[in-house]
Amino acid sequence: MATFLYKLGRLSFRRRHFVALIWVALLTLAGVGAASAPAAGNSSFSIPGTEAQKAFDLLEQRFPGTSADGATARVVFKAPSGEKMTDPGNKATVQDTVKELSDGSEVVRVTDPYQAKAVSKDGTIAYAQVSYKVSGMELDDAAKDALKDSAQDARKAGLTVEIGGDALQAVPHTGSSEVIGIAVAAVVLVITFGSLVAAGLPLLTALIGVGIGVSAITGLASALDLGTTTSTLAMMIGLAVGIDYALFIVSRYRAELAEGREREEAAGRAVGTAGSAVVFAGLTVVIALVGLSVVNIPMLTKMGIAAAGTVAIAVLIALTMIPALLGYAGRRVKPMGEKGKLFGRSKPRDEAAEPAGPAKPNLGTRWASFVVRRPLAVLLLGVIGLGAAAVPATSLELGLPDDGSQPTSTTQRRAYDLLSEGFGPGFNGPLMVVVDAKNSDDPKAVFTRTGDEIKGLKDVVTVTPAQPNKAGDTATITVIPGSKPSSVTTENLVHGIRDAGADIKADTDASVLVTGSTAMNIDVSEKLNDALVPYLVLVVGLAFLLLIVVFRSILVPLKAALGFLLSVMAALGAVVAVFQWGWLSGLMGVEQTGPVMSMMPIFMVGVVFGLAMDYEVFLVTRMREAYVHGEKPAQAVVTGFRHGARVVTAAAVIMMAVFAGFIGSSESMVKMIGFGLAIAVFFDAFIVRMAIVPAVLALLGRKAWWLPKWLDRALPNVDVEGEGLRATSGDDDGDRELVRV
């Protein structure tokens, strides 16, 4: 591996014009493809295998044209103080609004509050429900604008009008978060390299890689039914790893220059050593992202595969375009320790006037030396600290966000509050019960029995009469719970209805299915929970095998996996403390606490595992390289930190900056993802990799690198540490003549 990449790096350095032309051509081709591709609508959303999805599919068959899974909007009206919605003037305004709403081409029906008895008992609040042909993600912008305009007309007449439901659902935008992340990355890179030229290389290549990846996703979006959230994830992950991978290779290139190698040789060795780590680090990220397909949620699978493709592009660019750009940069990229001015110029040192003395150990060396002297204390402190941070995770409650978790400044949240005020909190999450009595002898009796049994359950406020289809073999029943949609009580009610349906099935051969947005959210949460353990086993297992090949050790990969689990649990604990318990919620801009998004644990496992293994590979390969070249285990740990700690720190800060930019989003889901990933990277990079890892390796000594002989013979020799490069380059570290650059 190292020898092949060494040759690739030298070839890219020499043939830099050709390499640069290829990548520019690919970027142009992807851009043209994205620009000429048909505009893609929002990705369709389906959850195969869930009861809620089966009910939706059944409704499409038995109630054709009703668009059971179409978007809905609840236009909520509140009368001015001292008035009621039944007053003639207010009633006329509402009916005019209903008529105006009915004119949309995507509208299926609009209910009149006065005919549907959708007026609160005190007469101050009423609502009209609008049903659409397509889902909220697919709804045309013109339909959304018409909905908003109708509400505005009613406001002019003096009513308070707010709009709830999923019709106004939009892909969350984070504003300038990407720009903020890039700006922070640029500052960190300049501080790390001391040169705008060296700092600009990782940024340039990362932007090119993300440009190719996102353009390709945009070009294929229509054909593959990819939503805009797919490109958002690909951009976030691709930008972060693209900068990191290039950072490691440029840093190794400068270290090779500092050892006296010519520039082409330094580029080859940088790609052969750091590039080997990049390949395996990228593989772990790809495994984690592609593994999301285990969940069997099509949208999540597509997001993972698209992001994995962008990571693969980032790896290829780091291995080829970085050495090519280093060839263009020439002497403007200085050797390690020879920092110049920001534009890459340095004042040569007068060696006669300033005789070289022993170099002062850098911070990484001093920290590693401390850890090696006090490994047990550092290990216990790190484990206890992360364990304390993970304690809140024991109270983790999962769910999917609804309008009740929106900021109070949004119309969706205000509509949610008005409906709770007028009709009770459960009115925001009605359950639709679908009764399939096609195989029953007496469908009407089944419909009646189902309604009666539901009325006898706890937390049920209203049960509407069964509404059969034309054939009379299927009916729908609407159930209004007494609790809010995201509550555990409502979840128990859904399971209670399904248990009652099982008894009805046994007696009458009729199926009772529960659906609606609330039931769908519950089913998705359970599906994600059930998939978490298989996903962990798959991803951690494959990565464990990969790391055995990389490190040729059993205990080092085991330690890496256990450390990752510790950091993820601590990060989940922090998420629970902020978003569920409300700690520091004001500082984070969290207006409404509640259950943690059900996708969060599996999403964090997928993304953070890949990134955590990046730091593990880059840091520990340096240690193994020193160990293989004859250093004692403790000294190898210090050597690895001397060369890698600064770069890993910079990479982690960049990654945290990219993710933390999403905390400023107005969407609670995006805010939660940004905070969770940022704090997870902090825990993993600075506590696990920088403290626990060297402490464990110091305690294990030579045992850390133990591998059974039979396994050693069976495993392929990938030579990540670059041992084979000595023979290839024809030099020896012991008697190599230093060449001034």
Side-chain angles (χ1 to χ4, degrees), residues 491-559:
E491 182 178 347
N492 292 336
L493 174 59
V494 170
H495 290 302
I497 296 174
R498 288 173 174 170
D499 291 341
D503 295 336
I504 295 173
K505 172 76 172 177
D507 295 339
T508 66
D509 206 24
S511 299
V512 178
L513 306 174
V514 185
T515 188
S517 59
T518 301
M520 179 65 82
N521 288 349
I522 292 171
D523 286 352
V524 171
S525 297
E526 292 180 352
K527 192 177 183 70
L528 289 166
N529 292 342
D530 293 342
L532 183 58
V533 172
Y535 178 67
L536 262 176
V537 171
L538 173 69
V539 172
V540 176
L542 288 176
F544 180 77
L545 295 176
L546 187 65
L547 292 178
I548 289 178
V549 175
V550 174
F551 296 128
R552 307 194 78 77
S553 164
I554 297 293
L555 296 179
V556 171
L558 181 61
K559 172 263 308 170

Coordinates of all heavy atoms in Angstrom, one line a residue, residues 491-559:
E491 N -47.9 7.4 23.0 CA -47.3 6.2 22.4 C -47.9 5.0 23.0 O -48.2 4.0 22.3 CB -45.8 6.2 22.7 CG -45.0 5.0 22.2 CD -43.5 5.1 22.4 OE1 -43.1 6.2 22.9 OE2 -42.8 4.1 22.3
N492 N -48.2 5.0 24.3 CA -48.9 3.8 24.9 C -50.3 3.6 24.4 O -50.7 2.5 24.2 CB -49.0 4.1 26.5 CG -47.6 4.0 27.1 OD1 -46.6 3.4 26.6 ND2 -47.4 4.6 28.3
L493 N -51.0 4.7 24.0 CA -52.3 4.6 23.5 C -52.2 3.9 22.1 O -53.1 3.1 21.8 CB -52.9 6.0 23.3 CG -54.3 6.0 22.6 CD1 -55.3 5.2 23.3 CD2 -54.8 7.5 22.5
V494 N -51.3 4.3 21.3 CA -51.1 3.7 20.0 C -50.9 2.1 20.1 O -51.5 1.3 19.4 CB -49.9 4.3 19.2 CG1 -49.6 3.5 17.9 CG2 -50.2 5.7 18.8
H495 N -50.1 1.8 21.1 CA -49.8 0.3 21.3 C -51.1 -0.3 21.9 O -51.4 -1.5 21.6 CB -48.7 0.1 22.2 CG -47.3 0.5 21.6 ND1 -46.9 -0.1 20.5 CD2 -46.4 1.4 22.0 CE1 -45.7 0.4 20.2 NE2 -45.4 1.3 21.1
G496 N -51.9 0.4 22.7 CA -53.1 -0.1 23.2 C -54.1 -0.4 22.1 O -54.8 -1.4 22.2
I497 N -54.2 0.5 21.2 CA -55.2 0.3 20.1 C -54.7 -0.9 19.2 O -55.6 -1.7 18.8 CB -55.2 1.5 19.2 CG1 -55.8 2.7 20.0 CG2 -56.1 1.3 17.9 CD1 -55.8 4.0 19.2
R498 N -53.4 -1.1 19.0 CA -52.9 -2.2 18.2 C -53.1 -3.5 19.0 O -53.4 -4.5 18.3 CB -51.4 -2.0 17.9 CG -51.3 -0.9 16.9 CD -49.8 -0.5 16.6 NE -49.7 0.5 15.5 CZ -48.6 1.1 15.2 NH1 -47.5 0.9 15.9 NH2 -48.6 2.0 14.2
D499 N -53.0 -3.5 20.3 CA -53.3 -4.7 21.1 C -54.8 -5.1 21.0 O -55.1 -6.3 20.8 CB -52.9 -4.5 22.5 CG -51.4 -4.4 22.7 OD1 -50.7 -4.8 21.8 OD2 -51.0 -3.8 23.8
A500 N -55.6 -4.1 21.1 CA -57.1 -4.4 20.9 C -57.4 -4.9 19.5 O -58.2 -5.8 19.3 CB -57.9 -3.1 21.2
G501 N -56.6 -4.4 18.5 CA -56.8 -4.8 17.1 C -56.4 -6.3 16.9 O -57.0 -7.0 16.1
A502 N -55.4 -6.7 17.7 CA -55.0 -8.1 17.6 C -56.1 -9.0 18.1 O -56.3 -10.1 17.5 CB -53.7 -8.3 18.4
D503 N -56.8 -8.6 19.2 CA -58.0 -9.4 19.6 C -59.1 -9.5 18.6 O -59.7 -10.5 18.4 CB -58.5 -8.9 21.0 CG -57.4 -9.0 22.1 OD1 -56.6 -9.9 22.0 OD2 -57.5 -8.2 23.0
I504 N -59.3 -8.3 18.0 CA -60.4 -8.2 17.0 C -60.0 -9.1 15.8 O -60.9 -9.8 15.2 CB -60.6 -6.8 16.5 CG1 -61.2 -6.0 17.7 CG2 -61.5 -6.7 15.3 CD1 -61.3 -4.5 17.4
K505 N -58.8 -9.1 15.4 CA -58.3 -9.9 14.3 C -58.5 -11.4 14.6 O -58.9 -12.2 13.7 CB -56.8 -9.7 14.1 CG -56.1 -10.6 13.1 CD -56.4 -10.2 11.7 CE -55.5 -11.0 10.7 NZ -55.8 -10.8 9.3
A506 N -58.2 -11.8 15.8 CA -58.4 -13.2 16.2 C -59.9 -13.6 16.2 O -60.2 -14.8 15.8 CB -57.8 -13.5 17.6
D507 N -60.8 -12.7 16.5 CA -62.2 -13.1 16.6 C -62.9 -12.9 15.2 O -63.9 -13.7 14.9 CB -62.9 -12.2 17.6 CG -62.4 -12.4 19.0 OD1 -61.8 -13.5 19.3 OD2 -62.5 -11.6 19.9
T508 N -62.6 -11.9 14.5 CA -63.3 -11.6 13.2 C -62.6 -11.7 11.9 O -63.1 -11.5 10.9 CB -63.9 -10.1 13.4 OG1 -62.8 -9.2 13.4 CG2 -64.7 -10.0 14.7
D509 N -61.3 -11.9 12.0 CA -60.4 -11.9 10.9 C -60.3 -10.6 10.2 O -60.0 -10.5 9.0 CB -60.9 -13.0 9.8 CG -59.7 -13.5 9.0 OD1 -58.6 -13.4 9.4 OD2 -60.0 -13.9 7.8
A510 N -60.6 -9.5 10.9 CA -60.5 -8.1 10.4 C -59.2 -7.5 10.9 O -58.8 -7.7 12.1 CB -61.7 -7.3 10.8
S511 N -58.5 -6.7 10.1 CA -57.2 -6.1 10.5 C -57.5 -4.6 11.0 O -58.3 -3.9 10.4 CB -56.2 -6.1 9.4 OG -55.9 -7.4 9.0
V512 N -56.9 -4.3 12.1 CA -57.0 -2.9 12.6 C -55.6 -2.3 12.6 O -54.7 -2.8 13.3 CB -57.6 -2.9 14.1 CG1 -57.6 -1.5 14.6 CG2 -59.0 -3.5 14.1
L513 N -55.4 -1.2 11.8 CA -54.1 -0.6 11.6 C -54.2 0.9 12.1 O -55.2 1.6 11.9 CB -53.7 -0.6 10.2 CG -53.7 -2.0 9.5 CD1 -53.4 -1.8 8.0 CD2 -52.7 -2.9 10.1
V514 N -53.2 1.4 12.8 CA -53.1 2.7 13.3 C -52.1 3.5 12.4 O -51.0 3.1 12.3 CB -52.7 2.8 14.8 CG1 -52.8 4.2 15.3 CG2 -53.6 1.9 15.6
T515 N -52.5 4.7 11.9 CA -51.6 5.5 11.1 C -51.8 7.0 11.5 O -52.4 7.3 12.5 CB -51.8 5.2 9.6 OG1 -50.7 5.9 8.9 CG2 -53.1 5.6 9.1
G516 N -51.3 7.8 10.6 CA -51.3 9.3 10.9 C -49.9 9.7 11.2 O -49.0 8.8 11.5
S517 N -49.6 11.0 11.2 CA -48.2 11.5 11.4 C -47.7 11.0 12.8 O -46.5 10.7 13.0 CB -48.2 13.0 11.3 OG -49.1 13.6 12.2
T518 N -48.6 11.1 13.8 CA -48.1 10.7 15.2 C -47.7 9.2 15.2 O -46.7 8.8 15.7 CB -49.2 10.9 16.2 OG1 -49.5 12.3 16.2 CG2 -48.8 10.5 17.6
A519 N -48.6 8.3 14.7 CA -48.2 6.9 14.6 C -47.0 6.6 13.8 O -46.2 5.8 14.1 CB -49.4 6.1 14.1
M520 N -46.9 7.4 12.7 CA -45.7 7.2 11.8 C -44.4 7.6 12.6 O -43.4 6.9 12.5 CB -45.8 8.1 10.6 CG -44.7 8.0 9.6 SD -44.5 6.3 8.9 CE -45.7 6.4 7.5
N521 N -44.5 8.7 13.3 CA -43.3 9.1 14.1 C -42.9 8.0 15.1 O -41.8 7.7 15.3 CB -43.6 10.4 14.8 CG -43.6 11.6 13.9 OD1 -43.2 11.4 12.7 ND2 -44.0 12.7 14.4
I522 N -43.9 7.4 15.8 CA -43.7 6.3 16.7 C -43.1 5.1 16.1 O -42.1 4.5 16.6 CB -45.0 6.0 17.5 CG1 -45.5 7.1 18.3 CG2 -44.8 4.7 18.3 CD1 -46.9 6.9 18.9
D523 N -43.6 4.7 14.9 CA -43.1 3.6 14.2 C -41.6 3.8 13.7 O -40.8 2.9 13.8 CB -43.9 3.3 13.0 CG -45.3 2.6 13.4 OD1 -45.4 2.3 14.6 OD2 -46.1 2.5 12.5
V524 N -41.3 5.0 13.2 CA -40.0 5.4 12.8 C -39.0 5.3 14.0 O -37.9 4.7 13.8 CB -39.9 6.8 12.2 CG1 -38.5 7.2 11.9 CG2 -40.7 6.8 10.8
S525 N -39.4 5.8 15.1 CA -38.6 5.8 16.3 C -38.2 4.3 16.7 O -37.1 4.0 17.0 CB -39.2 6.5 17.5 OG -39.4 7.9 17.2
E526 N -39.3 3.5 16.7 CA -39.0 2.1 17.1 C -38.2 1.4 16.0 O -37.3 0.5 16.4 CB -40.4 1.4 17.2 CG -41.2 1.9 18.4 CD -42.5 1.2 18.6 OE1 -42.9 0.4 17.6 OE2 -43.2 1.4 19.6
K527 N -38.4 1.7 14.8 CA -37.6 1.1 13.7 C -36.1 1.5 13.9 O -35.2 0.6 13.7 CB -38.1 1.5 12.3 CG -37.5 0.7 11.2 CD -38.1 1.2 9.9 CE -37.6 0.4 8.7 NZ -38.1 -1.0 8.7
L528 N -35.8 2.7 14.2 CA -34.5 3.2 14.4 C -33.9 2.5 15.6 O -32.7 2.2 15.6 CB -34.5 4.7 14.5 CG -34.7 5.5 13.2 CD1 -35.0 6.9 13.5 CD2 -33.5 5.3 12.3
N529 N -34.7 2.4 16.7 CA -34.2 1.8 17.9 C -33.8 0.3 17.7 O -32.8 -0.1 18.2 CB -35.2 1.9 19.0 CG -35.4 3.3 19.5 OD1 -34.6 4.2 19.3 ND2 -36.5 3.6 20.2
D530 N -34.7 -0.4 16.9 CA -34.4 -1.8 16.7 C -33.2 -2.0 15.8 O -32.5 -3.0 15.9 CB -35.6 -2.4 16.0 CG -36.8 -2.5 16.9 OD1 -36.7 -2.4 18.1 OD2 -38.0 -2.6 16.4
A531 N -32.9 -1.0 14.9 CA -31.7 -1.1 14.0 C -30.4 -0.7 14.6 O -29.4 -1.0 14.1 CB -32.0 -0.3 12.8
L532 N -30.5 -0.1 15.8 CA -29.2 0.5 16.4 C -28.2 -0.6 16.7 O -27.0 -0.4 16.4 CB -29.6 1.3 17.6 CG -28.4 2.0 18.3 CD1 -27.7 3.0 17.3 CD2 -28.8 2.8 19.6
V533 N -28.6 -1.7 17.4 CA -27.7 -2.7 17.8 C -27.1 -3.4 16.5 O -25.9 -3.6 16.4 CB -28.3 -3.7 18.7 CG1 -27.4 -4.9 19.0 CG2 -28.7 -3.0 20.1
P534 N -27.9 -3.9 15.6 CA -27.3 -4.5 14.4 C -26.4 -3.5 13.6 O -25.4 -4.0 13.1 CB -28.6 -4.8 13.5 CG -29.7 -4.9 14.5 CD -29.4 -4.0 15.5
Y535 N -26.7 -2.3 13.6 CA -25.9 -1.3 12.9 C -24.5 -1.2 13.7 O -23.5 -1.1 13.0 CB -26.6 0.1 12.9 CG -25.8 1.2 12.3 CD1 -25.5 1.2 10.9 CD2 -25.3 2.3 13.0 CE1 -24.7 2.2 10.3 CE2 -24.6 3.3 12.5 CZ -24.3 3.2 11.1 OH -23.6 4.2 10.5
L536 N -24.6 -1.1 15.0 CA -23.4 -1.0 15.8 C -22.5 -2.2 15.5 O -21.3 -2.1 15.3 CB -23.7 -0.9 17.3 CG -23.7 0.5 17.9 CD1 -24.2 0.4 19.3 CD2 -22.3 1.1 17.8
V537 N -23.1 -3.4 15.5 CA -22.3 -4.6 15.3 C -21.7 -4.7 13.9 O -20.5 -5.0 13.8 CB -23.3 -5.9 15.5 CG1 -22.5 -7.1 15.1 CG2 -23.7 -6.0 16.9
L538 N -22.5 -4.3 12.9 CA -21.9 -4.3 11.6 C -20.8 -3.3 11.4 O -19.7 -3.6 10.9 CB -23.1 -3.9 10.6 CG -22.6 -3.7 9.1 CD1 -22.2 -5.1 8.5 CD2 -23.8 -3.1 8.3
V539 N -21.0 -2.0 11.8 CA -20.1 -1.0 11.5 C -18.8 -1.2 12.4 O -17.7 -1.1 11.9 CB -20.7 0.4 11.8 CG1 -19.6 1.5 11.8 CG2 -21.8 0.7 10.8
V540 N -19.0 -1.4 13.7 CA -17.9 -1.5 14.6 C -17.1 -2.8 14.2 O -15.9 -2.9 14.3 CB -18.3 -1.5 16.1 CG1 -17.1 -1.8 17.0 CG2 -18.9 -0.2 16.4
G541 N -17.9 -3.9 13.9 CA -17.2 -5.1 13.5 C -16.3 -5.0 12.3 O -15.2 -5.5 12.3
L542 N -16.9 -4.4 11.2 CA -16.1 -4.3 10.0 C -14.9 -3.4 10.2 O -13.8 -3.6 9.7 CB -17.0 -3.7 8.9 CG -18.0 -4.7 8.3 CD1 -18.9 -4.0 7.3 CD2 -17.3 -5.9 7.7
A543 N -15.1 -2.3 11.0 CA -14.0 -1.4 11.2 C -13.0 -2.0 12.1 O -11.8 -1.8 12.0 CB -14.5 -0.1 11.9
F544 N -13.4 -2.8 13.0 CA -12.5 -3.6 13.9 C -11.5 -4.5 13.1 O -10.3 -4.5 13.3 CB -13.2 -4.4 14.9 CG -12.4 -5.2 15.9 CD1 -11.8 -4.6 17.0 CD2 -12.2 -6.5 15.7 CE1 -11.0 -5.3 17.8 CE2 -11.4 -7.3 16.6 CZ -10.8 -6.6 17.6
L545 N -12.1 -5.2 12.1 CA -11.3 -6.0 11.3 C -10.4 -5.2 10.4 O -9.2 -5.6 10.2 CB -12.2 -6.9 10.3 CG -13.1 -7.9 11.0 CD1 -14.1 -8.5 10.0 CD2 -12.3 -8.9 11.8
L546 N -10.8 -4.0 9.9 CA -10.0 -3.2 9.1 C -8.8 -2.6 9.9 O -7.7 -2.6 9.5 CB -10.9 -2.0 8.6 CG -10.2 -1.1 7.6 CD1 -9.9 -1.8 6.3 CD2 -11.1 0.1 7.3
L547 N -9.1 -2.3 11.2 CA -8.0 -1.7 12.0 C -7.0 -2.8 12.5 O -5.9 -2.5 12.7 CB -8.6 -1.0 13.3 CG -9.4 0.3 13.0 CD1 -10.0 0.8 14.3 CD2 -8.6 1.3 12.3
I548 N -7.5 -4.0 12.5 CA -6.5 -5.1 12.8 C -5.5 -5.2 11.7 O -4.3 -5.4 11.9 CB -7.2 -6.5 13.0 CG1 -8.0 -6.5 14.3 CG2 -6.3 -7.6 12.9 CD1 -8.8 -7.8 14.5
V549 N -6.0 -5.1 10.4 CA -5.1 -5.1 9.3 C -4.1 -3.9 9.3 O -2.9 -4.0 9.0 CB -5.9 -5.1 8.0 CG1 -5.0 -5.0 6.8 CG2 -6.7 -6.3 7.9
V550 N -4.7 -2.7 9.7 CA -3.9 -1.5 9.7 C -2.8 -1.5 10.8 O -1.6 -1.3 10.5 CB -4.8 -0.2 9.9 CG1 -3.9 1.0 10.1 CG2 -5.7 -0.1 8.7
F551 N -3.2 -1.8 12.0 CA -2.3 -1.8 13.2 C -1.6 -3.1 13.5 O -0.7 -3.1 14.3 CB -3.0 -1.3 14.4 CG -3.6 0.1 14.3 CD1 -4.9 0.4 14.6 CD2 -2.7 1.2 13.9 CE1 -5.4 1.7 14.5 CE2 -3.2 2.4 13.8 CZ -4.6 2.7 14.1
R552 N -2.1 -4.2 12.9 CA -1.5 -5.5 13.1 C -1.5 -5.7 14.6 O -0.5 -6.0 15.3 CB -0.1 -5.7 12.5 CG -0.1 -5.4 11.0 CD 1.1 -5.9 10.4 NE 1.1 -7.3 10.1 CZ 0.4 -7.9 9.1 NH1 -0.3 -7.2 8.3 NH2 0.4 -9.2 9.0
S553 N -2.6 -5.6 15.3 CA -2.8 -5.7 16.7 C -4.3 -6.0 17.0 O -5.2 -5.7 16.2 CB -2.4 -4.4 17.4 OG -2.9 -4.3 18.7
I554 N -4.5 -6.7 18.1 CA -5.8 -7.0 18.6 C -6.3 -5.9 19.6 O -7.4 -5.4 19.5 CB -5.9 -8.4 19.2 CG1 -5.6 -9.5 18.2 CG2 -7.3 -8.6 19.8 CD1 -6.6 -9.6 17.1
L555 N -5.4 -5.6 20.5 CA -5.8 -4.7 21.6 C -6.0 -3.2 21.1 O -6.9 -2.5 21.7 CB -4.8 -4.7 22.7 CG -4.7 -6.1 23.4 CD1 -3.6 -6.1 24.5 CD2 -6.0 -6.5 24.0
V556 N -5.2 -2.8 20.2 CA -5.3 -1.4 19.7 C -6.7 -1.1 19.1 O -7.4 -0.2 19.4 CB -4.2 -1.0 18.8 CG1 -4.4 0.4 18.1 CG2 -2.9 -0.9 19.6
P557 N -7.2 -2.0 18.1 CA -8.5 -1.8 17.6 C -9.6 -1.9 18.6 O -10.6 -1.2 18.6 CB -8.6 -2.9 16.5 CG -7.2 -3.2 16.1 CD -6.5 -3.0 17.4
L558 N -9.4 -2.8 19.6 CA -10.4 -3.0 20.7 C -10.5 -1.8 21.5 O -11.6 -1.3 21.8 CB -10.0 -4.2 21.5 CG -11.0 -4.6 22.7 CD1 -12.4 -4.9 22.2 CD2 -10.4 -5.7 23.5
K559 N -9.4 -1.2 21.8 CA -9.3 0.0 22.6 C -10.0 1.2 21.8 O -10.7 2.0 22.4 CB -7.9 0.3 23.0 CG -7.6 1.7 23.6 CD -7.2 2.7 22.6 CE -6.0 2.2 21.7 NZ -5.7 3.1 20.6

